[in-house]
């Protein structure tokens, strides 16, 4: 077990993570970045090209840019956040061109074309910049849980360092954070049950492949369920995923590298259940969320959907709801 003290812990290694780590380090913070892959090559951006919402700070151009995107999101977008994204993107892309020396192409008029990036080159340069800023990068170090201090505030995270073959923790006060990760975990145990052996004392291994894996992919990947959505198909898929979650709850355990696979199986199953519960809660077609049995847009449903819960998943209009996943 290794503990790392740091001011800022960034989990992930894509564009958002590397920019966050870079800016925190430039502000004088001690920064650790933990990536489940190899920072600079992991994630969707590093594998291909990516479009960039690069719009000069001219009122007419910004207004046109925001208006052009609102329909895709079913007119649920917050203009304040859109403006912040446009400001941040414009500044960061210009910084990448000057300080990161990214080779943007030029148009026939001699002006740089900054509306797109080649992922491999972009992320290679971001890794270099992050390391030069003094960030400690933990490659191949998937995080398995967040750690809290005695007041309940998130103070760090724990995970598995694959290259070192050991468990590790990083954060502001790892010594005061929730319990040691060196023991066997009950993957989906109730709050308060943090570690130790299963209730009956039996040492059990994670199924191979993990229980619920086939159910998860079988309900999420087929186009006739997840793309050509219909209430009956969504309900059937959600029932199957709920049953899969019950199996995970009872049987899926892991330690070391096995804990990573167990956490991934649980996270993907939970996400799939929130996704389908949210789709069932929106009985209309809005933006890119389409329902074959409700093809029209309903003005009364001009709201976001929040979803949450583990053993009992819930989903409903954002207004009046507590913490959840916004959809």
């Amino acid at each position: 077990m290794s503990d790392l003290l740091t001011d800022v812990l960034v989990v992930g290694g894509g564009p958002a993570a590397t920019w966050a780590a870079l800016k925190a380090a430039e502000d004088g913070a001690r920064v650790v970045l933990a990536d489940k892959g190899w920072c600079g090559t992991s994630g969707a951006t590093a594998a291909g090209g990516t479009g960039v919402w690069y719009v000069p700070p001219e009122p007419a151009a910004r207004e046109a840019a925001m208006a052009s995107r609102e329909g895709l999101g079913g007119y649920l977008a917050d203009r304040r956040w859109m403006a912040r994204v446009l400001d941040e993107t414009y500044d960061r892309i210009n910084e990448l061109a000057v300080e990161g020396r990214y080779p943007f192409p030029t148009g026939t008029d001699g002006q740089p074309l900054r509306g797109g990036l080649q992922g491999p080159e972009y992320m290679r340069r971001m890794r270099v910049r992050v390391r030069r800023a003094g960030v400690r990068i933990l490659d191949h170090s998937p995080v398995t849980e967040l750690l809290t201090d005695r007041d309940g505030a998130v103070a760090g995270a724990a995970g598995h360092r694959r290259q070192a073959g050991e468990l590790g923790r990083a954060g502001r006060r790892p010594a005061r954070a929730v319990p040691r990760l060196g023991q066997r975990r009950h993957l989906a145990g109730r709050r308060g049950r943090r570690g130790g052996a299963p209730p009956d004392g039996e040492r059990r291994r994670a199924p191979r492949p993990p229980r619920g894996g086939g159910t998860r992919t079988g309900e999420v990947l087929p186009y006739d369920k997840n793309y050509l959505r219909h209430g009956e198909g969504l309900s059937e898929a959600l029932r199957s995923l709920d049953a899969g979650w019950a199996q995970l709850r009872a049987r899926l355990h892991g330690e070391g590298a096995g804990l990573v696979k167990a956490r991934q199986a649980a996270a993907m199953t939970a996400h799939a259940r929130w996704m389908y519960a949210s789709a069932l809660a929106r009985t209309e077609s809005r933006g890119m969320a389409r329902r074959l049995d409700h093809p029209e847009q309903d003005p009364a449903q001009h709201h976001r959907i929040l979803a949450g819960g583990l053993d009992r998943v819930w989903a409903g209009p954002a207004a009046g709801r507590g913490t959840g996943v916004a959809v």
Side-chain angles (χ1 to χ4, degrees):
M1 170 74 70
S2 62
D3 284 353
L4 296 175
L5 281 174
T6 186
D7 300 316
V8 176
L9 171 64
V10 179
V11 178
T18 49
W19 278 110
L22 177 63
K23 291 302 157 185
E26 289 178 348
D27 284 343
R30 294 174 301 173
V31 183
V32 170
L33 181 151
D35 190 346
K36 65 182 178 182
W38 196 85
C39 179
T41 64
S42 64
T45 297
T50 183
V52 179
W53 209 19
Y54 181 84
V55 182
E58 301 167 0
R62 291 286 177 91
E63 172 62 30
M66 288 189 284
S68 69
R69 297 293 181 95
E70 287 180 313
L72 292 173
Y75 300 95
L76 296 176
D78 187 329
R79 282 279 181 120
R80 295 169 299 177
W81 279 100
M82 296 173 83
R84 289 183 64 181
V85 170
L86 285 167
D87 287 341
E88 188 72 12
T89 302
Y90 187 77
D91 291 341
R92 298 288 78 78
I93 292 300
N94 288 342
E95 177 184 329
L96 183 65
V98 177
E99 298 183 27
R101 298 174 182 262
Y102 184 87
F104 286 101
T106 56
T108 56
D109 58 357
Q111 296 299 312
L113 302 175
R114 296 183 178 175
L117 294 164
Q118 293 300 313
E121 182 64 18
Y122 172 34
M123 294 312 302
R124 182 185 72 82
R125 290 171 184 268
M126 287 304 297
R127 180 183 176 93
V128 170
R129 297 189 68 202
V130 165
R131 293 190 65 184
R132 286 178 177 172
V135 175
R136 179 168 182 177
I137 298 177
L138 303 179
D139 292 310
H140 304 292
S141 300
V143 164
T144 54
E145 64 180 322
L146 297 179
L147 304 177
T148 59
D149 60 20
R150 293 173 182 171
D151 298 324
V154 173
H160 182 70
R161 300 186 64 186
R162 287 186 169 129
Q163 290 179 326
E166 65 177 9
L167 301 168
R169 299 182 296 189
R172 298 194 311 271
R173 298 181 297 276
R176 295 178 58 194
V178 204
R180 293 174 55 94
L181 194 63
Q183 301 173 348
R184 178 177 295 270
R185 291 288 177 210
H186 186 275
L187 169 66
R190 286 189 172 85
R191 172 174 276 181
R193 291 199 56 221
R194 280 294 187 168
D200 56 7
E202 176 188 358
R203 292 181 61 85
R204 290 177 282 189
R205 296 181 180 275
R208 209 180 77 188
R211 293 265 182 179
T215 300
R216 182 181 65 250
T217 56
E219 301 300 341
V220 172
L221 294 183
Y223 283 171
D224 61 341
K225 295 183 179 183
N226 199 6
Y227 180 68
L228 303 173
R229 291 182 169 184
H230 189 283
E232 293 181 0
L234 291 170
S235 297
E236 181 181 351
L238 184 55
R239 284 193 295 270
S240 177
L241 289 165
D242 285 341
W245 177 262
Q247 292 182 353
L248 294 180
R249 199 68 165 78
R251 303 183 181 184
L252 189 57
H253 305 267
E255 57 185 342
L259 175 61
V260 176
K261 294 182 179 180
R263 291 289 187 184
Q264 289 173 336
M268 294 178 70
T269 303
H271 186 276
R273 295 166 71 220
W274 296 332
M275 176 178 67
Y276 281 152
S278 300
L280 285 167
R282 188 175 291 286
T283 53
E284 62 161 359
S285 289
R286 179 178 294 274
M288 292 186 287
R290 318 302 296 177
R291 286 277 298 268
L292 296 180
D293 51 340
H294 296 282
E296 303 299 327
Q297 184 170 292
D298 179 7
Q301 298 188 52
H302 188 260
H303 52 242
R304 295 183 181 89
I305 300 292
L306 283 182
L310 290 174
D311 289 339
R312 297 184 62 183
V313 169
W314 55 264
R321 283 285 189 177
T323 302
V325 179
V327 179

